[in-house]
Amino acid sequence: MSEALVARVVYLVDADESVQQGLARVVDSAGLESAPCESLEGFLRQTPAPRAACAVLDVSGLGQCAPEAWSRLRALGAAVPIIVLSARDDPATRRMARELGAAAFFRKPVDAAALLDSIDWVTRAEGARPAG
């Protein structure tokens, strides 16, 4: 396995532990490092890895999150690509994903191969960006 694949970390932000575990299995099986987070606040408390990274984020509960958390997530989205997952595919949810600057949007249940392709795309693009 190439070092470039092993160096990538994927933050998995979903309140449902079984979804976190399923996503972690998919990510880990591709030779990537998964970093499950139980909540948006838990994710925001972590410092993103100084290597190619992305966040796979379930936006279902974001409508109720504090404005401060929303602002911090949007600011972080400029540095860590965000892939949005949602059980709903409606204009409001898609608008939320756009406002976050999401690199991709998937409706649950997500196709594992499509998700891995998206992760590969955003983390390779992230690794190619100049630092700072």
Side-chain angles (χ1 to χ4, degrees):
M1 180 150 311
S2 77
E3 188 174 325
L5 284 178
V6 175
R8 292 185 277 170
V9 62
V10 181
Y11 296 92
L12 304 170
V13 186
D14 198 301
D16 185 330
E17 188 175 346
S18 64
V19 172
Q20 274 185 33
Q21 291 172 353
L23 291 172
R25 279 192 296 276
V26 169
V27 168
D28 295 342
S29 72
L32 304 168
E33 179 184 341
S34 62
C37 306
E38 78 289 347
S39 68
L40 176 59
E41 291 76 17
F43 170 62
L44 291 173
R45 280 193 300 270
Q46 296 187 36
T47 303
R51 55 193 178 218
C54 74
V56 176
L57 173 68
D58 178 3
V59 296
S60 300
L62 289 186
Q64 298 88 23
C65 74
E68 176 189 315
W70 179 257
S71 295
R72 289 178 56 209
L73 181 60
R74 285 178 50 160
L76 184 60
V80 177
I82 296 172
I83 297 171
V84 168
L85 301 181
S86 178
R88 295 188 332 218
D89 185 5
D90 56 39
T93 304
R94 286 189 173 265
R95 185 174 51 254
M96 183 185 299
R98 280 193 306 276
E99 288 174 1
L100 285 173
F105 176 90
F106 292 98
R107 184 171 190 264
K108 288 180 175 181
V110 62
D111 177 78
L115 179 61
L116 287 173
D117 284 346
S118 185
I119 291 169
D120 184 59
W121 177 70
V122 301
T123 56
R124 285 183 191 276
E126 175 68 10
R129 292 182 194 163

